[in-house]
Amino acid sequence: MTGLPMVVPEPGLPERVTIWEVGPRDGLQNEQALVPVEVKEELVRRLVAAGLPVVEATSFVHPRWVPQLADAEELMTRLGPDGVALPVLVPNERGLDRALALGLRHVAIFGSATETFAQRNLNRSVEEQFAMFEPVVTRARAAGLDVRAYVSMCFGDPWEGAVPIDQVVRVGVRLLDLGASQLSLGDTIGVATAGHVGALVAAFGAAGIGPDRLALHFHDTYGQALANVQAGLRAGVTTYDASAGGLGGCPYAASATGNLATEDLVWLLTGLGIEHGVDLDALVATSTWLAGHLGRPSPSAVVRALG
Ligand code: HMG
Ligand code: MG
C-alpha cells in the first residue's frame, strides 16, 4: 500500500515548487550498463505521465565523453513532438546545432565554478568556458529557445576542496549575463549542508540575483540533500532538480553519487503541503520498473519503503 505523509505546512515556505527531473540525463549518464534507447523512451514518457513538469531528457555532448548518451538523436527522434519542449544539455555550438536540427526548444549549458572541474568536464579553463557558451546562448536565444545554465562544484570540489562563495557567485552571474533564464546551483559531489545553502542563495541575492532565478541541484552523497532543500525553501527557491529513484552522478567528478531522489523530494513537499503536481504512486512504479532494467534496487528511501 502506498502511503502519504500527514500534511503539516511550515509557515513562510513557497506554495508551489517546480521539480526539474534529471534522471534520464544525470542519472543515466552515469550508468555502467548501456540502457537501450527504447527503455529510455519509456522512462521519459512515464515520468511525463507521472506529472513531472520538466524532464531533462539527454545531452548533446561528445559521444566519446559520455557514451551512455550517444543515442541522443535517436531518443529525441523517437519522442517526436512529445520531446520538443524537454530540456537537453548542450556544451557548445556543435551540441546546439544537433539540438536545433531536431527542432528542440529548450537547452542547458553547464559551467564549472572551479578550474579543475572545468578542465576535466569541458576541456576548458573557467575563463575559456564562457567563450564556448557565449555563442551557444546568443544563437539559442535568437532562435527563441529557452536556456538554463548550470554551475557545478558550488559547495565543494573533490580536487580543490572548499569553493569560496564569491567564486561561485562570480561564475553564476557571468553565466546568467550571457542570457540564460535560470541558474541551477550544482552540489556535484553532495557535500553541501543547510547553512551553506542559505548563505549561497543570500550571496546571489546580494549580487542582484533573486531566488526566482535560481534552482538547486543536490546530489545525496552525504545524505544532506533533503535538509538542503528545506534550507532552499526557507530562502525562497522554488525549483529543485531531482532524479527518479535517486539515479545519477557525474562521470567526470570522482565521488559524485546519485541525485536527490525525486520520490524523497515529493514526500517532503507533500508533507509540507507544497504543490508539485507529481503522482507518487506512478513515480515509484517507474523507478521500480527501471531498477529491474538496471539490475539493482533504487537507493531512494521512499522507493524502498513503498516499492
Ligand atoms: P573537446 O574534445 O575539447 O572538443 O571537448 P572540441 O571542441 O575540441 O572538438 C573535438 C571533436 O569533438 C570535433 O570532432 C568536434 O566536432 C567534436 P573532429 O573534428 O575531431 O571529428 N565535438 C562534438 N561532437 C558531438 N557533439 C558535441 C561535440 N563537441 C565537439 N557537442 C566537449 C569539449 C565540451 C565537447 C567535451 O568536453 C564534452 O563533451 N564534455 C561533456 C562532459 C559531460 O557531459 N559531463 C556531464 C554533464 S555535467 C554534469 O553532470 C553536472 C550537472 O549535473 C550539475 C552538477 O551536478 O553539478 C549538470
Ligand atoms: Mg548533477
Side-chain angles (χ1 to χ4, degrees):
M1 187 197 77
T2 295
L4 284 174
M6 189 169 137
V7 178
V8 184
E10 178 180 305
L13 299 190
E15 284 175 11
R16 196 178 168 79
V17 147
T18 300
I19 301 179
W20 187 292
E21 169 64 44
V22 295
R25 192 281 301 170
D26 207 347
L28 296 186
Q29 78 181 7
N30 212 39
E31 280 300 317
Q32 296 306 316
L34 287 185
V35 176
V37 69
E38 53 274 14
V39 173
K40 293 178 179 177
E41 181 190 356
E42 185 171 347
L43 173 62
V44 171
R45 290 191 184 282
R46 287 179 73 147
L47 292 169
V48 171
L52 284 152
V54 186
V55 178
E56 194 170 272
T58 187
S59 298
F60 289 89
V61 295
H62 197 299
R64 267 201 312 274
W65 283 63
V66 185
Q68 292 89 339
L69 303 183
D71 56 6
E73 265 86 4
E74 196 185 344
L75 174 63
M76 298 317 289
T77 302
R78 281 170 165 266
L79 287 167
D82 298 332
V84 162
L86 306 182
V88 295
L89 259 54
V90 299
N92 55 13
E93 289 194 84
R94 173 87 180 87
L96 178 65
D97 288 338
R98 293 171 60 197
L100 289 174
L102 291 165
L104 306 186
R105 306 298 303 156
H106 200 165
V107 295
I109 56 169
F110 47 103
S112 171
T114 66
E115 283 300 337
T116 315
F117 190 64
Q119 286 294 347
R120 287 184 179 248
N121 200 47
L122 297 167
N123 199 24
R124 300 288 183 279
S125 67
V126 166
E127 196 53 40
E128 287 165 347
Q129 71 183 343
F130 300 116
M132 180 167 75
F133 295 141
E134 195 274 330
V136 176
V137 182
T138 304
R139 288 181 50 210
R141 292 286 305 274
L145 274 62
D146 196 6
V147 183
R148 168 186 247 211
Y150 282 96
V151 56
S152 286
M153 301 300 174
C154 291
F155 298 91
D157 174 292
W159 303 280
E160 299 183 19
V163 181
I165 285 180
D166 62 336
Q167 182 176 325
V168 177
V169 173
R170 262 198 317 275
V171 171
V173 167
R174 281 191 68 182
L175 291 170
L176 282 173
D177 282 349
L178 293 176
S181 58
Q182 184 184 64
L183 186 70
S184 176
L185 305 176
D187 182 17
T188 319
I189 57 169
V191 292
T193 49
H196 195 165
V197 173
L200 185 61
V201 174
F204 271 101
I209 311 294
D212 53 315
R213 305 232 17 225
L214 299 176
L216 291 167
H217 178 106
F218 297 121
H219 287 258
D220 205 21
T221 321
Y222 294 90
Q224 302 298 303
L226 280 180
N228 292 336
V229 170
Q230 183 82 12
L233 291 169
R234 288 178 179 157
V237 177
T238 56
T239 302
Y240 293 87
D241 301 357
S243 90
L247 293 163
C250 174
Y252 293 100
S255 79
T257 64
N259 292 79
L260 165 62
T262 313
E263 291 84 352
D264 299 9
L265 175 61
V266 165
W267 188 273
L268 173 71
L269 296 175
T270 303
L272 286 167
I274 296 175
E275 274 180 56
H276 50 71
V278 178
D279 175 341
L280 184 58
D281 282 342
L283 185 57
V284 168
T286 300
S287 293
T288 305
W289 161 82
L290 186 66
H293 279 282
L294 298 176
R296 58 186 167 71
S298 159
S300 156
V302 172
V303 173
R304 274 188 272 120
L306 301 179

